[in-house]
Amino acid sequence: MKRQGILIIISGFAGVGKGTLVKRLVQKYDRYALSISMTTRAPRPGEENGREYFFVTKDEFERQIKENGLIEYASYCGNYYGTPRAYVEEQMAQGKDIILEIEIQGAMKVKERFPNAVLIYVLPPSAAELEGRLRGRATETEEKIAERLSRAAAESEGLEQYDYVIVNDDLDECECELHGILCAAHFTPGQNISFINELRNDLKKFQKGETTV
């Protein structure tokens, strides 16, 4: 049976470490590919266009929206974020599990179009730990930190819409748990519809007195 790639959505509060988890999965296992998002926000120190994000202007982003070039998009903290369609569909056709690291608004839009997508939310061990990690990055103002913490409180109201939640307390342990969830996801009926339908049709031949050999 040919292995079809699955669509994986990983979300989490800002500062929870979801980006680190995703990078470790992609580097360690050939089965995963990371979808590169498009954004209108400015690059952070060390980020490169086409590696972390496709950095574009607001006009270019809105052109992509009009041309249906994005699987999903959303506005977050004053900037657009979106997922280019062509790359995602190409990777899945090649058998790659494609990971989208997006926020909750975008995740719900993807789930509408791809009902079999696997949604995972990465949580901190506590609210205090989340605040500490945000401050430890030393890349944002107090105003921005307060904005992100307020946003986390709002996003926590939608966690039940995800398939799984995992707590990023110990990075190695969290990575192992995440990989295990994604391996198991390949064995759900929803990810094997084509095979199930083919097998079902062949089995029905027995009811008609036919054989498959």
Side-chain angles (χ1 to χ4, degrees), residues 6-13 16 18-19 21-22 25 32 97-104 107-108 110-111 116-123 155 158-168 174-186:
I6 63 176
L7 185 58
I8 303 159
I9 299 170
I10 296 181
S11 306
F13 306 137
V16 79
K18 59 187 179 296
L21 281 168
V22 169
L25 283 180
Y32 300 118
D97 292 343
I98 183 76
I99 300 175
L100 278 62
E101 185 188 330
I102 55 178
E103 47 67 56
I104 194 167
M108 295 304 104
V110 172
K111 189 69 172 179
N116 289 325
V118 180
L119 276 62
I120 302 172
Y121 207 97
V122 183
L123 298 172
E155 287 189 359
L159 295 180
E160 291 84 355
Q161 299 176 83
Y162 281 71
D163 299 311
Y164 302 93
V165 295
I166 58 173
V167 176
N168 185 15
C174 189
E175 178 198 324
C176 183
E177 290 171 348
L178 181 56
H179 179 59
I181 289 171
L182 297 178
C183 288
H186 277 273

Side-chain angles (χ1 to χ4, degrees), residues 130-187:
L130 178 64
E131 182 182 9
R133 291 180 187 180
L134 282 172
R135 295 188 183 282
R137 297 199 301 192
T139 59
E140 295 168 338
T141 65
E142 284 294 318
E143 182 180 2
K144 183 61 71 173
I145 290 172
E147 182 181 353
R148 293 194 182 281
L149 289 172
S150 177
R151 176 74 178 188
E155 287 189 359
S156 69
E157 299 296 330
L159 295 180
E160 291 84 355
Q161 299 176 83
Y162 281 71
D163 299 311
Y164 302 93
V165 295
I166 58 173
V167 176
N168 185 15
D169 189 2
D170 179 274
L171 189 59
D172 290 334
E173 182 177 340
C174 189
E175 178 198 324
C176 183
E177 290 171 348
L178 181 56
H179 179 59
I181 289 171
L182 297 178
C183 288
H186 277 273
F187 299 96

Side-chain angles (χ1 to χ4, degrees), residues 43-95:
R44 292 175 182 155
E47 291 183 332
E48 294 182 10
N49 184 50
R51 189 178 66 184
E52 283 80 14
Y53 288 93
F54 294 113
F55 296 101
V56 299
T57 64
K58 182 179 178 181
D59 287 344
E60 170 60 19
F61 197 101
E62 291 178 345
R63 184 180 69 82
Q64 291 290 332
I65 294 173
K66 292 177 181 177
E67 295 179 357
N68 198 31
L70 301 169
I71 287 178
E72 57 77 33
Y73 69 93
S75 178
Y76 178 68
C77 293
N79 288 297
Y80 278 129
Y81 293 81
T83 302
R85 175 185 299 277
Y87 179 78
V88 169
E89 294 179 344
E90 176 185 333
Q91 293 297 313
M92 290 176 64
Q94 293 176 1

